[in-house]
Amino acid sequence: MTRIQHGRTLVRLEETHFEPWSELAAFERAAALDDGKTGAASVFVGTMRDFNAGDDVEQLFLEHYPGMTERELEHIAAEALERWPVNAALIVHRVGLIRPGDPIVLTAAWSAHRGAAFEACRHLIEALKHRAPFWKREDLRDGSQRWVAENTPA
């Protein structure tokens, strides 16, 4: 799928299941985050729930706008690096068909200190949820479908 890496920043859209903890370990090795300058990592993993708005959800189809979505995610990662003393940032996001329990999104930030890592990681997920062009179609247990109008609040 789409993979955009600039030094210590990686943004990737993934059409298939991914393992968040394996992704983190691989990124840490590739970005050489064992250099003694990184004392904290903050991680968010979002998984698909089997319910939403009071209904049982069988599966989710996540659409995106190719090119535009990646650019916005890159911009969000760059913002984190500019606003906080962050050594690295990672965003991995699923697209396509997703089932309950599957990871949907992984965001992570590494810094010398926990405060910057926490704040940058929170920025990654909150900005992504509000600005990245994704559209969710839920397939409900009763056989109906609906497009999700808005994200759940933080």
Side-chain angles (χ1 to χ4, degrees):
M1 192 71 221
T2 305
R3 179 183 179 90
I4 302 166
Q5 186 159 2
H6 301 290
R8 293 187 171 196
T9 302
L10 172 65
V11 169
R12 193 174 86 231
L13 296 181
E14 185 63 57
E15 291 181 355
T16 60
H17 181 83
F18 69 91
E19 295 294 335
W21 309 113
S22 297
E23 295 286 339
L24 286 166
F27 180 75
E28 285 181 337
R29 281 190 304 276
L33 292 173
D34 59 354
D35 60 2
K37 294 178 179 26
T38 301
S42 183
V43 177
F44 175 83
V45 177
T47 57
M48 188 194 154
R49 298 180 308 271
D50 67 354
F51 65 92
N52 190 33
D55 294 311
D56 294 329
V57 180
E58 290 279 324
Q59 61 188 19
L60 174 74
F61 191 80
L62 195 58
E63 286 277 351
H64 74 293
Y65 192 111
M68 181 184 288
T69 303
E70 294 89 341
R71 279 191 300 277
E72 187 59 33
L73 295 177
E74 281 184 289
H75 182 71
I76 291 166
E79 284 176 351
L81 294 174
E82 291 168 13
R83 291 176 62 180
W84 294 278
V86 173
N87 300 340
L90 171 67
I91 300 173
V92 179
H93 206 294
R94 281 286 307 278
V95 294
L97 187 62
I98 304 166
R99 303 215 181 264
D102 285 353
I104 297 176
V105 63
L106 164 64
T107 63
W110 290 261
S111 182
H113 302 285
R114 68 182 176 274
F118 279 133
E119 290 176 24
C121 186
R122 181 166 187 115
H123 171 76
L124 294 172
I125 189 61
E126 295 300 335
L128 180 157
K129 293 290 280 183
H130 295 288
R131 295 182 3 214
F134 291 107
W135 298 273
K136 298 177 184 177
R137 187 196 74 217
E138 294 176 330
D139 295 345
L140 304 180
R141 190 156 293 133
D142 67 10
S144 64
Q145 294 180 333
R146 68 177 173 210
W147 290 95
V148 177
E150 58 189 34
N151 286 312
T152 54

